[in-house]
């Protein structure tokens, strides 16, 4: 079994054991404070139901459910009365409510992945195990009281929980893709500044609100996060439309017969994989993917089409002219300037190129050299890589070529989608 599969299996197994321990303990000792459990369980279930329409690459598709689970994990008092539900009951309630909320999505074939569920269970369990034993022993109130220091303690604990989730998420993605761990962790940490910070803040406020005002505070405090979720969905919808527009423009070269079918999609997917291998951030990967999709659009301005659409086989000056034409076309489409820069500089010597342009040039050349008429697949791939290595004096960056070879050795761009672009 591969090490990556062992890692994913270990994460899922730990989540399963924690969930089973929570259910077993709760069934054996009974449900403490059923009213609190029902209120928070309902909030978590509704939060899972509200994930409808979530984009596949959403970092946290059910923020309300996450905030409710974290608030329950950090609940020490309810309307001034001390709680006794403990860490394992917290896990049991969060898992049961979460499963109830995702049943309709599973019925429609849109349920969350097992990795996401495992991360949720382990994150909630981590927060509850850090807070509940300390609070129930009286150590928290003895040293911090119920004032600002207590609120700061909850915030710090949720920050630590968020960091734990980021480390876990990067670990799972590293196991699945083989990409470098550092950039993956950096992307996960960046995501905490977005919806992750809203989840942590809402979880803290919910725990404090219920402690002071009781369960009536829950629906009131849930409204801001619901509005944030709606706004985020609209932003995600706009981003999806923009990406579909770019993909449609990229297909124009195939429809016009300028490039072979599937060329732009292959170059975009493989470029994203190489960019991730090189450690590019989420924003840089988005620019890279868009530029890779539109890298051949300059051919639409040519009077005589390039034979087979293989620009890598053209003289350097002709490659440069097509790249400049492509940059001008991209600018007129309203695509961000960074994408146009990559498109127009893809034919420059690599020492003068931005990283994304180096990747697009190398991957485009690889796909051109292994296209139709190149012979046996394995032999053509080896021959193409050898030609790229021979061109590392001027045309292709050595690091990009070696990263491309490693990605191809792992199976190419299989499994690499925009979901890893963040």
């Amino acid at each position: 079994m591969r090490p990556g599969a062992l890692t994913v299996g270990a994460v899922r197994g730990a989540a399963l054991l924690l969930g089973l321990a929570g259910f077993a303990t709760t069934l054996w000792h009974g449900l403490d404070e059923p009213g609190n459990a029902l209120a928070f369980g309902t909030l978590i279930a509704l939060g899972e139901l509200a994930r409808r329409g979530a984009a596949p690459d959403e970092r946290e598709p059910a923020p309300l459910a996450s905030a409710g689970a974290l608030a329950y994990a950090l609940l020490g008092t309810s309307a001034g009365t001390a709680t006794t539900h403990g860490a394992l009951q917290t896990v049991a309630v969060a898992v049961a409510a979460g499963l109830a909320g995702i049943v309709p999505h599973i019925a429609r074939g849109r349920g969350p992945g097992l990795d996401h569920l495992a991360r949720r269970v382990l994150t909630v369990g981590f927060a509850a195990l850090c807070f509940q034993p300390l609070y129930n022993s009286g150590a928290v109130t003895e040293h911090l009281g119920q004032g600002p220091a207590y609120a700061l303690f909850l915030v710090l604990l949720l920050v630590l929980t968020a960091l734990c989730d980021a480390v876990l998420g990067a670990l799972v993605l590293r196991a699945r893709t083989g990409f470098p761990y550092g950039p993956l962790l950096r992307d996960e940490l960046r995501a905490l500044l977005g919806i992750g910070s809203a989840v942590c803040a809402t979880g803290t406020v919910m725990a404090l609100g219920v402690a002071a005002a009781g369960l009536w505070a829950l629906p009131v405090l849930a409204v801001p996060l619901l509005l944030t979720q709606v706004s985020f969905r609209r932003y995600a919808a706009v981003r999806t439309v923009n990406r579909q527009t770019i993909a449609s423009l990229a297909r124009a070269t195939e429809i016009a017969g300028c490039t072979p079918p599937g060329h732009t999609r292959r170059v975009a997917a493989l470029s994203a994989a190489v960019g991730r291998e090189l450690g590019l951030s989420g924003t840089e990967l988005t620019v890279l993917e868009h530029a890779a999709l539109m890298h051949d659009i300059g051919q639409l301005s040519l009077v005589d089409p390039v034979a087979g659409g293989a620009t890598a086989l053209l003289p350097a000056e002709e490659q440069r002219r097509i790249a400049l034409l492509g940059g001008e076309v991209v600018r007129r489409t309203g695509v961000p300037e960074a994408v146009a820069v990559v498109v127009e500089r893809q034919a420059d010597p690599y020492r003068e190129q931005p990283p994304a342009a180096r990747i697009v040039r190398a991957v485009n050349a690889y796909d051109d050299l292994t296209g139709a008429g190149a012979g046996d697949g394995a032999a053509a791939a080896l021959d193409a890589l050898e030609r790229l290595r021979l061109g590392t004096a001027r045309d292709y960056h050595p690091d990009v070529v070696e990263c491309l070879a490693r990605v191809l050795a792992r199976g190419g761009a299989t499994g690499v989608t925009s979901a890893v672009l963040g």
Side-chain angles (χ1 to χ4, degrees):
M1 184 179 291
R2 294 183 298 106
L6 288 174
T7 300
V8 173
V11 171
R12 293 181 177 179
L16 178 62
L17 290 176
L18 183 59
L20 291 176
F23 281 119
T25 302
T26 303
L27 289 173
W28 181 263
H29 295 286
L31 191 66
D32 290 331
E33 293 134 7
N36 290 340
L38 179 61
F40 279 95
T42 301
L43 179 65
I44 294 169
L46 291 176
E48 290 292 349
L49 286 172
R51 72 163 56 236
R52 179 177 179 178
D57 60 339
E58 237 178 277
R59 292 283 180 170
E60 178 46 73
L64 185 59
S66 293
L70 291 175
Y72 191 49
L74 302 182
L75 185 66
T77 59
S78 178
T81 302
T83 61
T84 59
H85 55 272
L88 291 178
Q89 179 174 309
T90 299
V91 173
V93 170
V95 171
L99 291 176
I102 65 174
V103 166
H105 300 292
I106 294 176
R108 293 196 297 268
R110 301 177 184 175
L114 292 178
D115 292 343
H116 172 79
L117 294 176
R119 284 177 60 181
R120 174 74 63 79
V121 173
L122 293 176
T123 300
V124 172
F126 177 84
L129 289 170
C130 287
F131 176 80
Q132 292 293 333
L134 286 175
Y135 190 90
N136 292 337
S137 67
V140 174
T141 52
E142 179 182 350
H143 292 91
L144 300 178
Q146 294 290 338
Y150 176 71
L152 181 60
F153 171 70
L154 293 185
V155 172
L156 292 177
L157 189 55
L158 277 184
V159 170
L160 184 61
T161 301
L163 292 175
C164 175
D165 182 61
V167 169
L168 189 62
L171 181 66
V172 172
L173 195 54
R174 169 72 174 84
R176 288 204 168 279
T177 64
F179 294 138
Y181 182 77
L184 294 175
L185 179 59
R186 182 179 60 192
D187 288 346
E188 291 290 336
L189 293 175
R190 281 200 181 106
L192 295 180
L193 300 178
I195 194 67
S197 61
V199 169
C200 289
T202 304
T204 303
V205 173
M206 281 181 174
L208 293 173
V210 172
L215 297 175
W216 292 107
L218 279 181
V220 176
L221 297 174
V223 172
L225 190 57
L226 279 174
L227 296 177
T228 302
Q229 185 175 358
V230 170
S231 299
F232 185 83
R233 294 279 172 77
R234 290 178 178 175
Y235 164 76
V238 171
R239 186 178 58 180
T240 300
V241 170
N242 289 339
R243 193 170 183 278
Q244 291 172 345
T245 301
I246 291 173
S248 297
L249 289 171
R251 287 191 61 204
T253 57
E254 297 180 11
I255 295 173
C258 298
T259 56
H263 171 72
T264 56
R265 293 190 297 276
R266 291 193 301 271
V267 172
L270 196 50
S271 293
V274 174
R276 180 68 74 178
E277 183 78 14
L278 284 168
L280 269 61
S281 67
T283 302
E284 293 169 328
L285 285 169
T286 300
V287 171
L288 170 61
E289 185 191 30
H290 291 173
L293 284 169
M294 305 183 76
H295 76 279
D296 269 333
I297 204 167
Q299 293 195 47
L300 295 175
S301 302
L302 299 179
V303 176
D304 298 319
V306 178
T311 55
L313 306 179
L314 296 175
E317 287 304 315
E318 185 64 12
Q319 291 185 40
R320 174 66 175 156
R321 185 173 76 88
I322 294 174
L324 290 174
L325 290 171
E328 287 301 315
V329 173
V330 171
R331 283 188 173 86
R332 294 178 184 178
T333 64
V335 173
E337 174 68 16
V339 177
V341 170
V342 173
V343 171
E344 71 180 3
R345 298 187 62 184
Q346 62 179 301
D348 293 353
Y350 73 75
R351 292 179 178 84
E352 303 172 11
Q353 291 176 311
R358 296 171 179 173
I359 296 170
V360 171
R361 180 169 193 178
V363 173
N364 175 61
Y366 173 81
D367 196 78
D368 284 347
L369 293 171
T370 56
D376 176 68
L382 292 174
D383 182 64
L385 285 174
E386 183 61 26
R387 293 179 67 173
L388 292 182
R389 289 189 174 104
L390 292 174
T392 53
R394 177 188 183 276
D395 297 330
Y396 310 111
H397 196 286
D399 292 343
V400 173
V401 176
E402 294 311 311
C403 281
L404 174 60
R406 289 198 297 270
V407 169
L408 292 169
R410 290 199 304 265
T414 303
V416 178
T417 66
S418 58
V420 300
L421 295 177

